[in-house]
Amino acid sequence: MPENTLRRRQAAMRACDRILSGARPVTMRERLDELSAVADLDDLPDYYGDGPVTTLEQRVANLLGTEAAVWFPTGTMAQQVALRYGAQQTDAVALHPLGHQLVHERDAYATLSGLRAVTPTAAYRNPTAADLAALEEQVGTVVFELPMRDAGFVLPTWDELTEACEEAVNIGARVHFDGARIWESAPYLGRSLAEIAEQADSTYVSFYKTLGGLSGAALAGTADLARYARSWRHRHGGNLFQQWPAVMSALAGLDRELPRVPDYVRHARRVAAALAELPGARVFPQPPHTHQFRLFLPHPAGVLNAAALTLAEQRKVWFAGGWRDTEVPGVAMAELTIAAAALEWTAADVADAGERLIELCR
């Protein structure tokens, strides 16, 4: 997105009275004010991973029911370490072609760690037990992305997930959960975070996705994994001198946002049902598995992005942005995120905003 377009969109969203998808952009001063309101800034900061970092790591380990958790400045770094940990016997890793490691990490697993991707399936879902049983070579780790963002934020059922994890063990592989969005996966799976993480040897979580932190991630698992992760975090340049602003914002997100996630997921289903009634609209998945889903409309992406901006500037209503053209000519898709700002929207509100957006496309 061009810089001037991004700034215009941010300004329009800040001025809106109502926001359906996403969150209102905040200034750096506003973020600092939020942080000072929830954090005890009279405590000493962290020094190379102690203090508040240790507090956050223990909090995550308790939530996920693991022996330990290790803070990382980025999820990309955390996932490289997790995959390297499982590569003692083979350099092969079972990755989905739509998975985060292949789509959004510039092949870091291969370029920096010398690992090799084996594809168990190309279907728009995580691998099943049958997919893993059919693999023709041994893999060190099987990765499950919960949910799979680039397949439409889709999740397996609990039975499908447990069966696939059991089969991964049967073929001699570790199980790694790319759980950047595991927080919102629990309602659909019908299990606690600890019960979900128990199925895996390692679980990565993000603090800026869903929880609204400034940045950062954690890798959770056994004490042995934690020791290994701390060594490789240092080698990757991730053992920073001080990280307390990001850490304190992560702790605030666990306190403030995590308890609200089930409400976001429930409301996303109401919003999706209302959107599905718009002329030519399609929602996927329907109903949504998490508080995020895809909306397709029969208009070009450029037209929809312009219409969304006009609606925001003229009506002070933010519908959704980031529209992208699909393989079907004249049909575009946007990813919607239903969070706190959307909870006040009724089905009638959603329908009215959608109809106004479509009218601006004509």
Side-chain angles (χ1 to χ4, degrees):
M1 183 184 298
E3 180 69 15
N4 60 336
T5 302
L6 174 61
R7 293 301 182 188
R8 183 182 169 195
R9 169 176 160 176
Q10 290 174 330
M13 288 185 71
R14 281 181 58 79
C16 280
D17 298 323
R18 312 190 75 191
I19 294 177
L20 177 63
S21 177
R24 192 183 312 278
V26 296
T27 65
M28 290 182 284
R29 181 176 298 279
E30 288 168 339
R31 287 306 303 262
L32 288 175
D33 288 343
E34 290 175 1
L35 195 59
S36 64
V38 299
D40 186 355
L41 299 184
D42 291 324
D43 283 346
L44 290 174
D46 56 297
Y47 293 95
Y48 292 116
D50 65 1
V53 174
T54 302
T55 300
L56 177 60
E57 289 175 339
Q58 189 58 57
R59 180 84 176 272
V60 172
N62 291 343
L63 276 170
L64 299 182
T66 58
E67 290 182 354
V70 178
W71 161 269
F72 278 83
T74 72
T76 298
M77 188 184 296
Q79 300 225 85
Q80 288 179 64
V81 171
L83 298 188
R84 180 187 285 272
Y85 184 71
Q88 287 89 350
Q89 295 182 335
T90 174
D91 64 354
V93 182
L95 296 173
H96 196 285
L98 292 177
H100 200 275
Q101 292 86 356
L102 292 178
V103 178
H104 299 290
E105 297 181 11
R106 296 194 176 187
D107 296 329
Y109 74 96
T111 305
L112 298 181
S113 298
L115 303 180
R116 180 169 52 87
V118 172
T119 302
T121 180
Y124 276 47
R125 55 166 173 73
N126 274 285
T128 64
D131 295 329
L132 298 178
L135 286 175
E136 297 181 351
E137 63 177 302
Q138 183 181 2
V139 294
T141 301
V142 177
V143 177
F144 298 86
E145 186 177 338
L146 305 176
M148 186 171 285
R149 182 261 180 96
D150 284 293
F153 304 101
V154 296
L155 285 161
T157 65
W158 177 250
D159 287 346
E160 289 169 341
L161 180 62
T162 55
E163 289 169 3
C165 290
E166 289 170 359
E167 184 56 34
V169 174
N170 289 340
I171 63 173
R174 294 177 67 257
V175 172
H176 173 67
F177 285 168
D178 176 342
R181 297 176 173 86
I182 198 172
W183 317 114
E184 59 263 38
S185 298
Y188 181 84
L189 293 173
R191 297 295 189 279
S192 68
L193 292 170
E195 288 174 306
I196 297 169
E198 187 180 15
Q199 303 299 314
D201 296 284
S202 57
T203 300
Y204 142 65
V205 298
S206 172
F207 297 117
Y208 79 88
K209 295 170 182 173
T210 307
L211 299 184
L214 292 174
S215 61
L219 182 62
T222 64
D224 285 341
L225 171 67
R227 284 189 289 271
Y228 182 92
R230 295 184 198 282
S231 295
W232 280 97
R233 179 184 64 185
H234 199 167
R235 292 180 178 121
H236 278 287
N239 196 32
L240 305 185
F241 176 51
Q242 289 186 357
Q243 302 179 83
W244 60 267
V247 170
M248 299 310 292
S249 70
L251 287 166
L254 290 173
D255 288 336
R256 182 186 62 245
E257 289 300 306
L258 185 56
R260 306 184 74 180
V261 167
D263 292 334
Y264 299 163
V265 174
R266 281 189 291 269
H267 196 58
R269 295 166 185 163
R270 301 185 191 106
V271 170
L275 291 172
E277 297 299 319
L278 294 174
R282 183 184 175 192
V283 168
F284 180 82
Q286 178 64 305
H289 294 180
T290 72
H291 73 317
Q292 296 179 290
F293 57 90
R294 289 181 166 186
L295 173 63
F296 297 81
L297 286 176
H299 300 281
V303 173
L304 281 162
N305 281 318
L309 195 51
T310 299
L311 183 66
E313 293 174 337
Q314 293 183 355
R315 298 278 184 173
K316 305 299 181 186
V317 173
W318 181 255
F319 186 79
W323 292 90
R324 308 196 302 264
D325 288 314
T326 68
E327 295 178 353
V328 180
V331 176
M333 179 274 292
E335 296 176 337
L336 271 70
T337 300
I338 306 304
L343 292 180
E344 64 184 33
W345 286 61
T346 66
D349 294 332
V350 174
D352 178 67
E355 289 165 2
R356 291 182 184 276
L357 179 79
I358 291 172
E359 183 63 31
L360 289 169
C361 292
R362 292 172 181 156

